[in-house]
Amino acid sequence: MRLFIVSFTYIFCFLSLNAQSVKKTKAPQWVNSITIDDTVNRIEEGAVSYLLIDLQDNLIGKEQYIHYALKVLNGDGVQEFSDISASFDPTFQTLEFHFVQIVRNGSIIEKLSNSPIKTFQRETNHERSLYDGSLTAVLNLSDVREGDIIEYAYSIKGFNPVNKGNYASILYQQYTSPVNRIYSRLVTDQDNKIGYKLLHGASEPKILNSSEALEYIWDNSGSEHLVYENSVPYSYDVQKRVSVSTFKDWGEVGALLNPLYSIEKNTLKAPIDIDEELDSKQDIIIKNIRFVQDEIRYLGFESGIGAYKPNSPEKVLSRRYGDCKDKSLLLSNLLQNQGVNAHPILVSTLAKDDMDELLPSHYMFDHCIVYFEHGGNEYFVDPTISNQGGDLSHFATPDYKFGFVLNEGSKNLIPIPKPIKSRIRIVEDIVIDSIGGSATFSVTSEYTGSKADYMRSYFKNNTEESINKEYLNYYSSLYPTISSSDKISYTDDSRPWENIFTTNETYHIDSIWSTSDSDESIYFDTYSIVLDGLTNYSKSPKRKMPYYVGVPFVFSQTTRITLPELWSITDDNPKITGPGFSYEKQVSSIGKLVTISHKYELDKEVLDAESVPSFLDKNNEVREKLGYQLYYMTSMTSGSQISWISVFIAIISLFIGVFLAIRLYKYFDPVSEGEDKALSIGGWLVLPAIGLVLTPFILIFHLVSNDYFNKNIWQGFRLGGYENHRILNLYMGFELFYNIAFLVFTILLILMFFKRRTGLPKLMVIFYSTNLLAVLLGGFVLNQSGLSDASTFKDIFRAILSAAIWIPYFLLSKRVKETFTQRYSPDKLSVPEKSLI
């Protein structure tokens, strides 16, 4: 209860004090009174029509006067503009409303006196862990109607004391909506002249010089508004505007800011483990960077002078949190104490390319990083990026373009090198168990550079369950029946060096095949959905403005599909090059393995308007190439129809084979060369004997497994899209004829082998020679047809090795001659060999 009372008392006092910072007063005397002219032709489109934007700044009195007038055109305008709000920093500013009125049918309805002002703290950057302490005052207008003109004015008194009388701003003479009148006025004294720079056709000011003040006035019609096209760079700003500043050069900016970042010499060191013997200077630098990035929480309270002046490194280290300025000054201090030349450097996340065209000012900077030197090289590191990886040569610092080093002697902006390209490398393995069946699906993804940093943060900041669910949902659009086989894992061993972050996924797809509309075929689609997302650029009509493409990157994906049988593929190896990018696709196959690879590289972040149509057209061509389809005719699996051609070939082969086998068995009966010896089968002869006995079983298995007598198999080459299907069918018929004839021949050899017939050695030479020729012929045909695989080359190697060993053995071995001595008709003369065939 006591805590509640204390909290309530604090809130009440806080609001009471802030309520005193908001007043209702008359307009200051220094202000030029600007009236609206409702008779001027204007464009009345949208929710409101802007009649007047009147902005006057008094550098002498440190005041800002803001005056708006707008006409409500419809109900949406009533809803959106019935609340008037103004924000200010109560630590050095006060807010005064001068008038709020509604003009209706020529009559003025005063609203300020009876409208309560509510003040509250609205931290617009709290999601970024930044709190500036600003307050927002709100007036709610009652009885606002369509056609009303709302006009109001207020002043904000007080400039940030950190500026020490310096001033800078951007004065717009053109907005993204039409404005009847844009009035800008700057009042300064003679000793504090304002420099100005006209940008994109802005008009010159009217300068009034008096003994008391110097005035710069711009009075323009803003009806010529500018509409930005889609996908322009965030920093792209070509509106008519004026850059104004009292800073003569960047040296004066440094003179203002350097004292804010100066610290007394100290011996502050990070609480990290350093091995003086093993750790190199680079290792020590990296450890300090990692400590500030990961161990110092990003949090900032930036009210008043805190928006520009960092806290001391000792304070930041002790409380373990700070904003970009705090973390940068701390890291610079830690590196300096390690003998490294390091300093904070101010950058802009918004202006970037415009920084060198604007007049010098500290207002354009909205971020702070660290510049340091090591080994004769310059480095830039952002201490607010947590979970970053890589050594000094693999840091992925965002492309801030330019920066201002906070160091004595800094006179100019310095360029910041472009970051290294991040890389994504994906390897997919799809193993399909059967035609129409299921598949296993595994994915290995490697990320480098900023992509690795992002993925590292993603896995650290999300639960295992949510990650697995998100990945599964991602692939379900391509494979609806997909399910996880295991949890997603990652490896991050190279974070200190190359900064490679690797993820591993495994899935099972119950039904990977789809049925065509005609039900005549089933098909399987593979698609590079990651590259599809990376190249999903927004459409654009003919344009005049630059087009933001994205941060340059390198992408590669290899999809390996293991099929249940040999497959013919259609060559699809396009190379597409367009403005700022290149793409290459390759499709290849070895036996049952089909490999599809994609390579895409984006070289430019921003394209000029003239290049955009070609870029989008070429990328559309790329997206059309991201998929690949394998299909199978269902008629080939709808039943086994007998191929009568196969039956005919088999009968002919069997008849010829048996006829010749009988002839050889009876009449191929040469005289023995074994000097009347008759040794039993032994020694090395046991090995070819085993091979002969096994060969018929291998041939029978081959005949059955290849399904030669299924009519669909013969049609498969044609229906599968093979251009050389006739040659393949001819080879298949030859293979069937050969296998049956060779089976008969092998059985004959087995009989003659164990009867130790004299003709066996020469027939064995024919056996090994024929086998070698058949394997070579088969390998040649399959290779020319794109169907060869690793097993083909293994078969050729075995055939060559067998022929090289056993042919000389059966021709020259004394043991062979003394073993095979038996004849079919020893009492009869043998028929000459040339008469057998």
Side-chain angles (χ1 to χ4, degrees), residues 564-833:
E565 59 184 59
L566 299 178
W567 214 274
S568 173
I569 64 168
T570 303
D571 291 339
D572 188 15
N573 302 320
K575 292 183 179 180
I576 302 173
T577 301
F581 83 95
S582 61
Y583 169 77
E584 181 179 350
K585 178 181 179 180
Q586 289 186 341
V587 181
S588 61
S589 68
I590 299 178
K592 300 178 182 179
L593 179 65
V594 175
T595 302
I596 306 164
S597 64
H598 304 272
K599 293 180 181 179
Y600 185 96
E601 183 168 0
L602 181 65
D603 296 316
K604 291 186 177 181
E605 185 174 356
V606 178
L607 297 175
D608 57 75
E610 292 76 13
S611 302
V612 174
S614 175
F615 174 83
L616 295 177
D617 289 343
K618 292 292 185 180
N619 265 281
N620 285 335
E621 292 181 27
V622 170
R623 291 166 65 83
E624 291 174 356
K625 299 295 183 181
L626 298 183
Y628 195 80
Q629 186 177 91
L630 300 172
Y631 63 91
Y632 193 88
M633 300 301 294
T634 53
S635 60
M636 297 172 64
T637 58
S638 60
S640 178
Q641 303 178 31
I642 295 176
S643 171
W644 293 108
I645 295 178
S646 298
V647 173
F648 176 75
I649 293 173
I651 292 173
I652 295 298
S653 177
L654 184 62
F655 175 80
I656 295 174
V658 171
F659 173 77
L660 291 177
I662 293 173
R663 297 276 295 174
L664 285 170
Y665 187 80
K666 289 183 177 182
Y667 301 114
F668 186 58
D669 206 26
V671 177
S672 172
E673 299 179 11
E675 300 180 356
D676 298 330
K677 292 184 179 180
L679 299 179
S680 62
I681 296 173
W684 290 108
L685 286 172
V686 173
L687 295 179
I690 295 173
L692 275 177
V693 173
L694 293 177
T695 298
F697 297 99
I698 295 173
L699 289 170
I700 292 172
F701 174 79
H702 185 69
L703 287 167
V704 173
S705 61
N706 282 351
D707 209 6
Y708 288 106
F709 298 96
N710 186 348
K711 183 179 180 180
N712 293 326
I713 298 298
W714 292 80
Q715 294 177 342
F717 294 120
R718 177 177 58 84
L719 297 176
Y722 290 82
E723 295 180 359
N724 54 350
H725 61 87
R726 291 185 178 86
I727 295 176
L728 290 173
N729 282 333
L730 182 62
Y731 171 73
M732 188 173 176
F734 166 77
E735 190 178 60
L736 173 61
F737 182 93
Y738 167 79
N739 285 334
I740 292 177
F742 203 65
L743 174 62
V744 175
F745 182 55
T746 303
I747 295 173
L748 169 66
L749 291 182
I750 293 173
L751 291 175
M752 296 181 69
F753 192 95
F754 288 102
K755 287 183 175 292
R756 295 180 292 127
R757 291 281 300 275
T758 56
L760 189 280
K762 292 183 179 180
L763 292 180
M764 289 298 294
V765 171
I766 296 174
F767 173 82
Y768 288 113
S769 300
T770 305
N771 180 62
L772 175 59
L773 291 174
V775 171
L776 289 174
L777 178 62
F780 174 78
V781 173
L782 293 177
N783 183 65
Q784 293 299 309
S785 303
L787 297 173
S788 61
D789 58 14
S791 63
T792 303
F793 300 103
K794 290 180 181 179
D795 291 341
I796 293 174
F797 176 76
R798 282 196 296 264
I800 294 174
L801 185 63
S802 298
I805 293 174
W806 297 115
I807 289 177
Y809 179 75
F810 277 99
L811 289 176
L812 304 175
S813 171
K814 183 178 180 182
R815 176 61 185 255
V816 170
K817 295 176 180 178
E818 293 178 350
T819 300
F820 298 98
T821 58
Q822 304 300 313
R823 302 179 66 192
Y824 179 73
S825 302
D827 298 331
K828 298 181 181 179
L829 293 174
S830 61
V831 178
E833 294 180 20

Side-chain angles (χ1 to χ4, degrees), residues 442-483:
S442 61
V443 186
T444 299
S445 304
E446 286 185 358
Y447 304 87
T448 68
S450 60
K451 301 290 186 184
D453 299 338
Y454 172 81
M455 294 302 297
R456 186 177 297 111
S457 293
Y458 172 77
F459 272 81
K460 286 190 175 183
N461 295 326
N462 291 276
T463 64
E464 186 179 81
E465 181 181 2
S466 65
I467 290 173
N468 281 274
K469 186 175 182 180
E470 186 171 350
Y471 269 69
L472 189 62
N473 290 338
Y474 182 73
Y475 284 112
S476 64
S477 61
L478 185 59
Y479 307 118
T481 61
I482 193 172
S483 60

